[in-house]
Amino acid sequence: MDDLATMIAAEIPALRRYARALLRDAERADDLVQDCLLRAWSRRHLWRQPGNLRAWLFTILHNLYANQMRSLSRQPRFAPSEAAEHLGQNARQGDQLETSEVLDAMDNLNDDQREAILLVGVEGLRYEEAAAVLGVPVGTVMSRLSRGRERLRELTDRGNVPPIRRVK
């Protein structure tokens, strides 16, 4: 029992990273991780040993995230007042600007591609593990990853900026 708690605790940073990348909101991400940990602990008897604990936890987190997104899509959308405070901020410089561009580009990917990139590229899961987390075949993960990476390249490539036309 203590070994399982230690193993779960070791995965918390990766779960938080994935949740924050998905939600782009630290508070909501922490809540999602907390829900994931509660669900995993209350259902620890369902974990198949010697199974991949990391993939099992990521599956729980992913399913909770998907359920939240489904329920949010049914609710009316209102802009939070906090968001209005950030509308007039100046652009960030240097590395922060590049990071911001990549995160914005990630927002322009569809959910399937973004999830595949986050699981494989950021969290370092193998294709088989990511497929188990997402509940799709390995080939689908590879396809989503390939298309997502290509789309990110298109969205962040500065060399393909069209020239400015002069109009008289």
Side-chain angles (χ1 to χ4, degrees):
M1 187 74 76
D2 291 333
D3 290 340
L4 180 60
T6 303
M7 290 174 15
I8 289 175
E11 296 299 332
I12 291 174
L15 292 168
R16 289 182 76 205
R17 227 181 2 256
Y18 181 53
R20 285 183 178 194
L22 283 174
L23 293 169
R24 303 273 308 270
D25 179 347
E27 289 179 20
R28 287 182 51 214
D30 288 343
D31 289 343
L32 180 63
V33 170
Q34 180 71 26
D35 292 343
C36 172
L37 294 172
L38 287 171
R39 172 107 14 125
W41 191 253
S42 68
R43 291 169 173 80
R44 63 187 176 271
H45 62 280
L46 297 174
W47 178 51
R48 295 188 181 126
Q49 296 180 2
N52 187 335
L53 179 65
R54 186 174 200 191
W56 184 65
L57 290 171
F58 272 82
T59 300
I60 292 171
L61 184 95
H62 175 77
N63 290 339
L64 288 170
Y65 167 74
N67 290 341
Q68 282 183 5
M69 292 301 102
R70 268 194 296 276
S71 67
L72 286 176
S73 70
R74 295 183 192 121
Q75 296 175 356
R77 294 183 186 205
F78 297 101
S81 60
E82 301 154 7
E85 297 172 12
H86 303 292
L87 291 177
Q89 289 185 347
N90 293 332
R92 297 185 181 116
Q93 300 298 320
D95 292 339
Q96 290 181 338
L97 181 59
E98 290 176 17
T99 301
S100 178
E101 288 176 5
V102 171
L103 291 174
D104 289 343
M106 290 286 288
D107 284 342
N108 288 318
L109 297 177
N110 66 40
D111 290 340
D112 294 336
Q113 292 172 350
R114 183 174 53 250
E115 291 165 355
I117 288 174
L118 290 172
L119 287 172
V120 175
V122 176
E123 293 305 326
L125 269 63
R126 295 186 336 259
Y127 294 150
E128 297 81 14
E129 294 170 331
V133 168
L134 298 173
V136 297
V138 174
T140 302
V141 170
M142 294 169 66
S143 174
R144 289 176 182 176
L145 191 60
S146 175
R147 283 194 217 108
R149 286 175 175 164
E150 183 60 33
R151 182 74 177 131
L152 276 178
R153 276 187 214 97
E154 291 171 6
L155 293 170
T156 58
D157 187 13
R158 296 181 192 170
N160 289 336
V161 177
I164 297 175
R165 282 187 10 207
R166 295 182 89 175
V167 179
K168 292 184 180 183

